[in-house]
């Protein structure tokens, strides 16, 4: 059995491409951190999502978004441009769960919250409490 599950953040926006037979493929990579503090280690997993889900989700798979993935994992061996042998962790994704966007350092201004102006200063507990 080959089953991989992980939660991480996207390193870049997902890219959509198509095979020769017009099958859509969304390609993206996620950073999965494990351990914590000074011992924290981050591993990058290259992911491919196929079919209709790839077309549907590519616009939501943006840099910094936290996602959960489930799929089959493999170690891909390749030779880089300089002729060095390299390995890459890849996952053929079966399921994607969108978990949220990366928080920004600047607070967002909520127009409704900032535009509220009370008309009269009324104390809701103005009357005597009956108990």
């Amino acid at each position: 059995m080959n089953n991989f599950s992980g939660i991480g953040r996207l390193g870049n926006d997902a890219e959509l491409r198509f095979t020769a037979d017009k099958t859509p493929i969304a390609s993206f990579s996620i950073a999965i951190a494990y351990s914590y503090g000074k011992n924290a280690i981050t591993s990058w997993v290259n992911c491919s999502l196929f079919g209709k889900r790839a077309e549907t989700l590519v616009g939501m798979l943006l840099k910094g978004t936290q996602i959960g993935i489930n799929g089959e994992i493999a170690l891909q061996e390749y030779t880089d441009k300089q002729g060095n042998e390299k390995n890459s962790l890849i996952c053929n994704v079966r399921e994607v769960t969108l978990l949220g966007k990366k928080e920004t350092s600047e607070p967002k201004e909520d127009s409704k919250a900032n535009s509220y102006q009370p008309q009269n200063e009324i104390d809701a507990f103005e009357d005597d409490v009956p108990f």
Side-chain angles (χ1 to χ4, degrees), residues 8-9 30-35 39-45:
R9 292 200 181 272
I30 62 170
I32 298 178
Y34 52 97
S35 193
N39 299 325
I41 298 171
T42 301
S43 294
W44 287 91
V45 179

Side-chain angles (χ1 to χ4, degrees), residues 91-102:
C91 182
N92 291 325
V93 178
R94 287 188 304 263
E95 298 175 25
V96 174
T97 305
L98 299 170
L99 299 174
K101 295 187 179 189
K102 187 172 184 177

